[in-house]
């Protein structure tokens, strides 16, 4: 019959709608009472008009459009929406999707991708007679679209367009002009997948539209247009110098590199410690292990080994405590020299040295120190004794840390047992954070290998200078380049070229940047944009041109602090320079470069404001520290409220001399020297807490060389009273706070602040009270501050004298006068501080107790009288004194001997009792390996002590 050996596929002619103003107008079959239109489309846009038509002989129509990735139809007439239905979901995924629209009589139906579940239909109150169908948009009259929609036209591709079950021939429409169209591309689908390749980094989710792509960086730990730059700091050291206190933090050790952030604990002491935990921190006991059946334990950390390695490489020092307890369990078999137990480090290498020893030396700490219990062995456990001993110490060779595995093989002999405990990984400091170089001439520079940041490049560093301009860094290519420079004292520029012509991002500051203080610079360039940020100023960004060149190609060396032409060089310091997360070692390169010196002094000018509450900034080669000697607070920034408390007895007096402090401050060039230079105060800030039941009492007294004073007393009925005398010719201003009896044995917190003639008083965080002074506004020539009893002659009012006659008996805590902490000075710095202590004075935790009577705890830090006890009795006659001394000496010797004999007897009796009790309890504590081992060690130590005592 009639046949041919071929199969002609129907020709598919796609159409590309290039812009939001594109449209295709096709005529329908007029006069029919039903409409059927079908087509396929693909797009990246969530919104766009797919199909529209006017109603015949009426003011209305319908719109078929994309909204949030769904197909919706909107039927309207004379401004009223008659129907609005939707079908499908996620249709903006760049794949082909089919849509069919059916209108018959009063029923309208939509089907998406031939899926019955993705269809919708409804009844409409009118019939549709369509003459023209508009695909993708509508023609415009002037600047107004005839569709009058709130969303734009369709951008994407269509194919298989069919009207009334008749396929539309797009080639004939293009050639013969049947229909009308604008800004179309026929016989080609020009859609571009802008998420392939995916430029979203660190797991960022890529989404796209017709013109661009977008990266969703949520929960990645990164930010920016391509999720490139980390939102977390590189180390605990960096968090510390943002003013953060100890706590859990996410750190990103390689910055914008491939490794993600992870959680650590930052211990912000004078040295900053990073603490990384693992899954087995308890003491674990081991029995019945041998070489054929070893006991092996694996340690899993809260970070990957690559993340741990990056953190260890950043640190100045790392260590990990490893404790090995043993009873007839050896670490080394001396007969064949083979290890019986070992540990494995980060690089999967086996190590046979133990805590406190050195690598490549098969020893323990006691072997290096020569203190092993058996001098023939290098570890205590190798003595192989039938009693508990241990080899404990810190492993501190960074290349071997952390410990990932421990293997034990010598616990299968009779009465043989071992136990181990591995502490967390501890790392101190960040050697890159303070890594710096000083550029002394404009022609000096440091050079490094070419910077490779083709699609993403970020540069961050600190600088300080007094120069008005200079290039921080530059890297050139054949045409491309990248440069960051200080253009003026108020302006930093980031300029680059990736083949689209030179571009520049500029950040301007209101304050000068050449003030010889550290300023932070962060520049980033990726395929979407370039950005620049200085300190905490708003970030400036510049979008990349659409469909332009995106690859940064550099081939010369990277110049830091200057340029290849040796012009416009930088004068000053650059610190903590990181490129794409990798730190450059400026100090090491500066050591061999003329005109450049390693390091950069003068950190206190920038970071001194981190030292709070009177703490003094002290320069260090790498960084700074806060000296909290004269502050009532402690911690790395003198912010940690340390409740320093003391118990005062009858006659106790603590006097702090301001004049001596002024001399000390002047000699040390302290910031406080200007504060006390003329010894006249226009304001005071006083805080303290107290606890007492004695009234009247003197709490605090500040004297002056001009007979001016301030006294804070408790009256006989328990009222708090503040008495200011700022004019020696007037009576003092007296302010009483009498809302309750504050001498009730409870801890009372008091804040007193004076600003010239205005006085504010707050007790126990109640409402702050305001008073006005009439005696003056300046406290002239202050001399000293006294807590407790005034011992020197003073010209004070009668009420203050009555309170002083009793002195103060009770607890004083957290006393601070402006930036002076007299209790802290007396208790912790008595030898260097200008403080005089008289009478009985005991450090205490009474400032934190809740009970009324805290005298039982005043035993920890006793101070003797600096000038001898106050002797109020009469001297004895010389003869009586001499006889008493002889008789008393004989009696004392006899009593002492009797007491010694009694004490020894009692101790032996008690030890027997303890030993028998521990023996009885030994079988009851098997639940906890650690408590059981401690119990055994205690019993063993007790037995040893008993043997020594019986021998004695």
């Amino acid at each position: 019959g009639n046949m041919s050996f071929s199969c002609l596929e129907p020709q598919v002619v796609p159409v590309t709608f290039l812009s939001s103003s594109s449209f295709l107008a096709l005529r329908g079959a007029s006069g029919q009472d039903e409409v059927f239109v079908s087509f396929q489309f693909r797009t990246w846009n969530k919104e766009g008009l797919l199909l529209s038509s006017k109603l015949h002989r009426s003011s209305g129509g319908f719109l078929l459009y994309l909204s949030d990735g769904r197909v919706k139809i909107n039927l309207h007439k004379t401004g009223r929406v008659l129907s609005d239905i939707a079908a499908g979901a996620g249709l903006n995924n760049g794949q082909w999707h089919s849509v069919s629209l059916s209108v018959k009589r009063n029923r309208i139906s939509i089907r998406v991708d031939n899926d019955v579940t993705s269809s919708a239909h409804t009844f409409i109150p009118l019939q549709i007679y369509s003459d023209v169908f508009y695909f993708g948009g509508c023609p415009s009259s002037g600047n107004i679209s005839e569709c009058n929609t709130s969303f734009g036209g369709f951008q994407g591709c269509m194919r298989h367009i069919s009207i009334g079950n008749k396929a539309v021939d797009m080639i004939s429409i293009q050639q013969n002009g049947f229909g009308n169209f604008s800004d179309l591309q026929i016989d080609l689908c020009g859609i571009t997948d802008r998420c392939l390749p995916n430029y979203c980094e660190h797991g960022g989710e890529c989404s796209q539209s017709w013109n661009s792509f977008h990266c969703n960086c949520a929960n990645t730990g990164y930010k920016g247009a391509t999720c490139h730059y980390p939102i977390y700091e590189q180390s605990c050291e960096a968090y510390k110098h943002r003013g953060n206190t100890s706590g859990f933090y996410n750190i990103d050790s390689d910055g914008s590199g491939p490794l993600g952030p992870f959680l650590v604990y930052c211990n912000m002491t004078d040295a900053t410690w990073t603490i990384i935990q693992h899954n087995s921190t308890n003491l674990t006991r081991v029995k019945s292990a041998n070489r054929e059946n070893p006991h092996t334990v694996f340690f899993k950390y809260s970070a990957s080994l690559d993340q741990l390695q990056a953190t260890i490489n950043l640190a100045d020092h790392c260590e990990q405590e490893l404790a090995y307890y043993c009873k007839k369990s050896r670490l080394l078999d001396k007969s064949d020299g083979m290890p019986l137990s070992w540990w494995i480090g980060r690089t999967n290498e086996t190590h046979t040295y133990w805590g406190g020893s050195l690598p490549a030396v098969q020893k323990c700490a006691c072997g290096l120190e020569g203190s092993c219990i058996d001098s023939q062995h290098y570890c205590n456990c190798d003595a192989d004794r039938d009693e508990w001993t241990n080899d404990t110490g810190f492993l501190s060779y960074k290349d071997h840390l952390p410990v990932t595995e421990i293997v034990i093989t010598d616990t299968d002999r009779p009465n043989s047992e071992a136990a181990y405990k591995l502490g967390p990984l501890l790392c101190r400091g960040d050697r890159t954070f303070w890594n710096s170089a000083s550029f002394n001439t404009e022609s000096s520079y440091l050079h490094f290998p070419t910077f490779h940041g083709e699609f993403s490049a970020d540069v961050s560093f600190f600088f300080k200078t007094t120069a008005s301009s200079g290039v921080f860094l530059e890297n050139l290519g054949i045409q491309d380049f990248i440069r960051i420079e200080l253009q003026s004292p108020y302006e930093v520029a980031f300029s680059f070229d990736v083949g689209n012509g030179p571009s520049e991002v500029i950040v301007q500051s209101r304050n000068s940047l050449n003030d010889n203080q550290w300023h932070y610079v962060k520049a980033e360039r990726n395929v979407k944009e370039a950005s620049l940020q200085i300190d905490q100023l708003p970030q400036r960004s510049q979008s990349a041109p659409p469909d332009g060149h995106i690859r940064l190609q550099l081939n010369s060396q990277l110049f830091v602090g200057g340029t290849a032409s040796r012009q416009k060089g930088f004068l000053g310091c650059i610190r903590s320079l990181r490129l794409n997360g990798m730190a450059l070692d400026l100090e090491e390169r500066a050591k061999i470069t003329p005109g450049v010196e390693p390091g950069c002094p003068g950190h206190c000018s920038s970071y001194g404001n981190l030292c709070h509450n009177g703490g003094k900034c002290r320069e260090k080669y790498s960084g700074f520290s806060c000296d909290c000697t004269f502050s009532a607070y402690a911690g790395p920034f003198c912010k940690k409220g340390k409740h320093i408390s003391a118990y005062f007895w009858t006659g106790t007096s603590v006097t702090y001399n301001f004049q001596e402090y002024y001399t000390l401050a002047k000699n040390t060039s302290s910031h406080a020297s200007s504060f006390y230079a003329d010894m006249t105060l226009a304001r005071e800030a006083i805080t303290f807490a107290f606890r007492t039941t004695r009234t009247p009492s003197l709490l605090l007294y500040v004297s002056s060389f001009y007979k001016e004073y301030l006294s804070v007393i408790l009256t006989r009925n328990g009222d708090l009273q503040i008495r200011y005398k700022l004019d020696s010719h007037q009576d003092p201003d007296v302010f009483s706070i009498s809302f309750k009896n504050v001498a009730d044995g409870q801890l009372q917190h008091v804040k007193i602040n004076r600003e010239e003639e205005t006085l504010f008083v707050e007790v126990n965080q109640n409402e702050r009270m305001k008073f006005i002074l009439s005696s003056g506004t300046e406290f002239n020539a202050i001399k000293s501050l006294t807590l407790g009893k005034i011992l020197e002659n003073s010209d004070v009012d009668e009420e203050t004298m009555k309170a002083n006659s009793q002195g103060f008996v009770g607890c004083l805590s957290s006393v601070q006068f402006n930036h002076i902490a007299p209790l802290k000075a007396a208790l912790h710095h008595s030898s260097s501080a200008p403080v005089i202590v008289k009478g009985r004075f005991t450090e205490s935790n009474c400032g934190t107790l809740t009970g009324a009577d805290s005298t039982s705890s005043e035993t920890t830090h006793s101070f003797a009288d600096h000038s001898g006890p106050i002797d109020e009795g009469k001297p004895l006659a010389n003869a009586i004194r001499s006889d008493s001394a002889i008789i008393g000496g004989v009696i004392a010797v006899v009593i002492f001997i009797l007491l010694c004999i009694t004490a020894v007897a009692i101790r032996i009796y008690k030890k027997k009792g303890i030993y028998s009790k521990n023996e009885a309890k030994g079988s009851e504590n098997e639940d906890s390996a650690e408590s059981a081992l401690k119990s055994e060690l205690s019993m063993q130590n007790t037995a040893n002590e008993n043997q020594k005592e019986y021998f004695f």
Side-chain angles (χ1 to χ4, degrees), residues 683-879:
R683 58 186 58 85
E684 295 93 45
I686 306 168
T687 59
F688 64 91
F690 71 92
R691 184 203 302 272
T692 188
T693 56
R694 297 280 190 93
T695 59
S697 292
L698 177 68
L699 297 172
L700 180 144
Y701 171 75
V702 181
S703 65
S704 161
F705 288 103
Y706 295 164
K707 296 185 179 180
E708 299 174 3
Y709 65 86
L710 158 66
S711 65
V712 182
I713 67 172
L714 295 179
T715 63
R716 187 171 298 279
N717 59 358
D719 292 346
L720 181 70
Q721 201 171 85
I722 301 166
R723 309 175 78 88
Y724 258 106
K725 185 174 182 178
L726 300 186
D727 187 339
S728 58
H729 304 294
Q730 292 186 21
D731 291 334
D733 292 308
V734 180
F735 308 103
S736 294
I737 294 89
S738 55
F739 63 91
K740 62 170 286 191
N741 179 4
V742 292
D744 57 358
Q746 300 298 317
L747 194 65
Q748 315 289 341
H749 296 270
V750 180
K751 290 183 180 179
I752 301 172
N753 290 276
R754 181 181 71 89
E755 292 281 344
E756 296 183 340
E757 74 278 359
T758 307
L759 180 69
F760 296 97
V761 180
E762 182 181 323
V763 180
N764 295 332
Q765 298 181 342
N766 290 320
E767 184 179 355
R768 192 164 70 157
M769 291 164 281
K770 179 179 178 181
F771 305 98
I772 302 299
L773 278 68
S774 62
S775 60
T777 60
E778 290 187 341
F779 202 164
N780 295 295
I782 60 171
K783 178 182 178 184
S784 63
L785 180 149
T786 299
L787 303 174
K789 190 168 186 177
I790 309 170
L791 299 180
E792 63 181 13
N793 292 328
S794 54
D795 188 7
V796 296
D797 61 273
E798 185 177 352
E799 289 299 319
T800 302
M801 286 296 293
K802 288 181 182 178
N804 184 56
S805 64
Q806 297 289 328
F808 177 76
V809 177
C811 172
L812 279 176
S813 175
S814 303
V815 181
Q816 182 150 352
F817 180 88
N818 289 340
H819 293 320
I820 302 299
L823 278 185
K824 183 178 180 181
L827 291 167
H828 297 167
H829 307 286
S830 59
S831 59
S832 59
V835 62
I836 299 172
V837 178
K838 301 280 188 180
R840 188 178 176 188
F841 179 55
T842 312
E843 186 174 6
S844 164
N845 62 349
C846 61
T848 58
L849 297 178
T850 56
D853 188 8
S854 59
T855 58
S856 61
S857 60
E858 330 298 337
T859 58
T860 56
H861 192 150
S862 181
F863 273 75
D865 189 343
H866 291 189
S867 57
I870 302 173
D871 189 1
E872 297 179 355
K874 296 181 180 179
L876 298 174
N878 290 338

Side-chain angles (χ1 to χ4, degrees), residues 533-553:
Q533 184 170 15
I534 309 298
D535 294 331
Q536 301 302 317
L537 296 173
Q539 179 176 284
R540 297 282 182 241
S541 301
Q542 184 181 100
S543 298
D547 301 318
H549 295 283
I550 60 174
R551 190 184 186 98
L552 175 66
Q553 301 182 71

Side-chain angles (χ1 to χ4, degrees), residues 580-601:
N580 274 354
M582 298 296 293
L584 299 187
D585 195 341
L586 301 176
E587 293 189 356
E588 204 56 39
R589 191 59 61 94
K591 292 177 182 177
I592 57 173
T593 306
V596 185
E597 294 181 3
C600 185

